[in-house]
């Protein structure tokens, strides 16, 4: 399978919004481990872990995503692990070291799904007040800029670990960070060496013009919400136009669509569980495989599946959809690149000069 033309598949391990309600207390590690193992067994590119500073819609509880990601990193060997982070309510220095550490413990399989904290219900948990949605999106973009600068504050090879000379690092390869922007003043360098991937992939969910600008400015991969492949094609074109207008440097954005799914060998039973949301699919695994090829033909790089019931629909993906795609030559048959960036076709960037 050519990594440049492959269909990429991701899964939201928390399921689809409005699907099965989360438990009243966070599910035990064994539940998450079983889900991650199933996704990895199906050769999916990556899994995402939801998080916020407020309870899930409809109540329930979930574990902190980065810590859960670290636990799953120890229990998996290949799949990418992408927790949600909210720079609006967490300092970029701490997020930078947390994601870098996750990248170390997963040996280059980490990313982060960055969200701006626009839900006012979250504000009270951190004593936050004020700030329009536009201001918070700008703040999030600046936070990602700081996070990336801190990841680059140790050049590759800065750790020399020369016990004979009593030297841990080469000071000449440490790049100071002195960021002073509209909302953050951060002095570096990081306390964590450069992550194995250099820059773990940053994902942003695109829901409107503001989040589109955030994705163009800050992300490696955009997650679209689209009603159908034609809608996705139009939204992808808007992203490309925004990239061109911003003269975005580096590789073009990867574009995935978010697709809520309910799967069953009997289409009627699947339809009875049809999740809400644009692009929602209910049907057989074979029918979803055919539908995914239509989304791919619309110019998307991949799809993130949001199962209506993770424990029911994820096995249907890995044991039904994936084999159907493989039979069409549209999905990998074995593990390929070891790092998440390489699997997504993103080059490993050199560290940028200190700022």
């Amino acid at each position: 399978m050519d990594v440049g033309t492959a269909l990429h598949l991701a899964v939201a391990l928390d399921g689809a919004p409005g699907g099965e309600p989360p438990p009243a207390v966070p599910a035990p590690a064994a539940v998450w481990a079983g889900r991650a193992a199933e996704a990895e067994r199906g050769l999916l590119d990556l899994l995402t872990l939801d998080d916020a500073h407020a309870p899930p819609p409809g109540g329930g509880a979930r574990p902190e995503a980065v810590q859960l990601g670290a636990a799953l990193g120890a229990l998996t060997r290949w799949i990418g692990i992408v927790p949600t982070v909210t720079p609006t309510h967490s300092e970029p220095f701490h997020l930078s070291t947390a994601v870098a550490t996750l990248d170390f413990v997963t040996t280059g399989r980490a990313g982060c799904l960055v969200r701006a904290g626009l839900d006012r219900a979250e504000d009270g948990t951190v004593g936050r007040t004020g700030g329009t949605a536009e201001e918070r999106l700008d703040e999030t973009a600046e936070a990602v800029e700081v996070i990336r600068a801190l990841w680059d504050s140790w050049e590759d090879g800065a750790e020399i670990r020369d016990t004979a000379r009593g030297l841990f690092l080469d000071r000449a390869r440490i790049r100071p960070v002195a960021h002073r922007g509209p909302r953050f003043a951060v002095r570096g360098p990081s306390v964590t060496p450069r992550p194995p991937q250099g820059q773990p992939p940053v994902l942003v969910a695109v829901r409107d013009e503001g989040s589109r600008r955030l994705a163009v400015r800050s992300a490696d991969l955009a997650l679209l919400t689209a009603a159908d492949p034609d809608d996705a094609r139009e939204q992808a074109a808007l992203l490309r136009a925004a990239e061109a207008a911003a003269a975005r440097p580096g590789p073009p954005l990867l574009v995935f669509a978010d697709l809520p799914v309910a799967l069953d060998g009997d289409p009627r039973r699947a339809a009875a569980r049809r999740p809400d949301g644009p692009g929602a699919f209910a049907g057989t695994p074979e029918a979803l495989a055919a539908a995914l090829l239509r989304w791919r033909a619309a110019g998307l790089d991949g799809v993130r599946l949001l199962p209506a019931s993770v424990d029911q629909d994820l096995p249907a993906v890995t044991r039904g959809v994936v084999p159907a795609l493989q039979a069409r030559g549209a999905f990998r048959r074995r593990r390929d690149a070891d790092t998440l960036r390489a699997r997504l076709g993103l080059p490993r960037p050199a560290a940028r000069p200190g700022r």
Side-chain angles (χ1 to χ4, degrees), residues 188-252:
S190 175
V191 295
T192 306
R194 195 165 194 245
Q197 297 181 94
Q199 295 274 323
V202 173
L203 284 62
V204 167
V206 174
R207 302 293 181 257
D208 51 27
E209 185 176 347
S211 55
R212 184 182 306 121
R213 286 199 299 271
L214 174 62
V216 168
R217 181 175 170 184
S218 303
D220 300 291
L221 191 159
L223 296 166
L224 300 180
T225 297
D228 53 42
D230 288 339
D231 185 21
R233 182 184 290 108
E234 292 176 7
Q235 292 197 46
L238 291 174
L239 270 173
R240 298 302 179 214
E243 283 182 287
R248 173 190 157 94

Side-chain angles (χ1 to χ4, degrees), residues 254-266:
L254 295 170
V255 181
F256 283 31
D258 274 345
L259 201 62
V261 297
L263 299 171
D264 197 291
D266 182 340

